[in-house]
Amino acid sequence: EVHLMESGGGFVQPGGSLRLSCAASGFTFDDYAMGWIRQAPGKGLEWVSTISCSGDSTNYADSVKGQFTISRDNAKNTVYLQMNSLKPEDTAVYYCVTGSPGRGGTWYRYWGQGTQVTVSS
């Protein structure tokens, strides 16, 4: 069965950095685009970033563009999210997701359990 396991979340001060990791198993990792989706307190789900199967193409939400970097290591079945210059509004539960092509975009079929990121002074 498919498993996605996030790690690397925690508490950080504004301006700090964190790197999230997502270890994947139960499927052919490099057949899937991967991504990150977050949910801030009291808010809905927000797409953050996606990366293509090979890792040669990335996309970012306007809210994190230039601040976050998504990457993947297909040999390790792992996807990463490097988060720099963190702001309080980045506080959220971050979910690692698989991506598949859909009519109007990407279908996020499989989700990890989420990891909490808290940005506060």
Side-chain angles (χ1 to χ4, degrees):
E1 63 185 81
V2 172
H3 283 102
L4 301 173
M5 186 64 67
E6 301 96 334
S7 62
F11 187 94
V12 65
Q13 293 185 325
S17 298
L18 286 173
R19 189 181 74 161
L20 306 183
S21 298
C22 172
S25 63
F27 64 102
T28 304
F29 183 69
D30 61 5
D31 281 351
Y32 288 83
M34 299 294 295
W36 293 90
I37 293 172
R38 69 184 180 184
Q39 186 168 32
K43 298 184 178 180
L45 297 170
E46 179 189 18
W47 168 76
V48 175
S49 184
T50 49
I51 186 167
S52 63
C53 300
S54 65
D56 61 1
S57 180
T58 59
N59 295 96
Y60 299 92
D62 288 343
S63 58
V64 305
K65 196 170 186 178
Q67 181 189 354
F68 291 4
T69 303
I70 190 171
S71 62
R72 66 191 294 163
D73 186 340
N74 286 347
K76 296 181 178 179
N77 285 7
T78 302
V79 62
Y80 305 94
L81 186 68
Q82 178 67 46
M83 305 185 295
N84 298 326
S85 301
L86 284 163
K87 307 169 184 176
E89 51 263 45
D90 295 318
T91 295
V93 176
Y94 285 73
Y95 298 94
C96 175
V97 297
T98 63
S100 300
R103 181 176 181 179
T106 302
W107 179 36
Y108 303 108
R109 181 175 182 179
Y110 297 107
W111 294 57
Q113 85 288 347
T115 186
Q116 177 70 48
V117 172
T118 302
V119 185
S120 177
S121 60

